[in-house]
Amino acid sequence: MHQTLIVAAAAIIRDGRVLAAQRAEPSALRGRWEFPGGKVDPGESVPDAVARECHEELGVRVRPLHQVGSDAAFPAPDAGRTRPAVLRLWRADLVEGEPRPLEHLSLRWLSAAELPDLDWLPADVPFLDPLAALLTAGERAPFPLS
């Protein structure tokens, strides 16, 4: 039995909007949208992976705060991935820098109402409703949520 691969992604929220990243590679996924992130390395915690991936992909420092929703399963393994995998999304605060698309085609800041407008990767779709609730709650809060 293969150990499940954990992929960590960041829900970076600023001013009531969450950052989405448009895939550049591989060609089969080019143009689709995701939350930035990547594989958790052996011995690495999910929050550490979130911070590392945001630095590598966006050129920023983030502070991971808490997991959003439950793990989302990736489609069945194929030639490129031979073990089961799950996506784990973490709410993160932007600590330093302005996000740049270092490994993506483009970036967009989205409100809760704009989340359904993009062509999301299947593993990211289960997080749209929990994120919309989080963004909407933030709009009603008398102070910024962290």
Side-chain angles (χ1 to χ4, degrees):
M1 182 164 165
H2 295 288
Q3 186 178 7
T4 300
L5 172 68
I6 299 174
V7 177
I12 303 170
I13 297 174
R14 178 173 73 186
D15 300 327
R17 295 178 177 270
V18 66
L19 186 68
Q22 189 178 35
R23 291 290 299 244
E25 299 291 335
S27 59
L29 303 178
R30 185 178 176 86
R32 297 194 72 188
W33 292 84
E34 67 179 356
F35 298 105
K39 297 173 188 160
V40 177
D41 290 335
E44 185 178 41
S45 71
V46 173
D48 286 347
V50 167
R52 176 182 52 75
E53 288 286 344
C54 287
H55 185 262
E56 291 172 3
E57 293 185 6
L58 305 170
V60 297
R61 282 194 330 110
V62 300
R63 183 178 71 235
L65 300 172
H66 58 81
Q67 187 170 342
V68 176
S70 302
D71 290 357
F74 273 87
D78 56 26
R81 179 175 47 82
T82 58
R83 58 183 172 149
V86 296
L87 180 63
R88 207 168 272 173
L89 185 68
W90 273 64
R91 161 82 166 87
D93 277 345
L94 193 57
V95 174
E96 182 180 296
E98 183 63 27
R100 294 170 291 145
L102 302 177
E103 297 182 7
H104 292 90
L105 294 175
S106 65
L107 304 174
R108 280 184 61 186
W109 291 99
L110 303 169
S111 68
E114 294 169 314
L115 286 171
D117 295 345
L118 300 184
D119 182 17
W120 292 94
L121 293 174
D124 293 82
V125 170
F127 297 108
L128 299 182
D129 286 343
L131 264 177
L134 189 63
L135 293 172
T136 303
E139 290 170 3
R140 293 190 305 262
F143 51 87
L145 295 178
S146 58

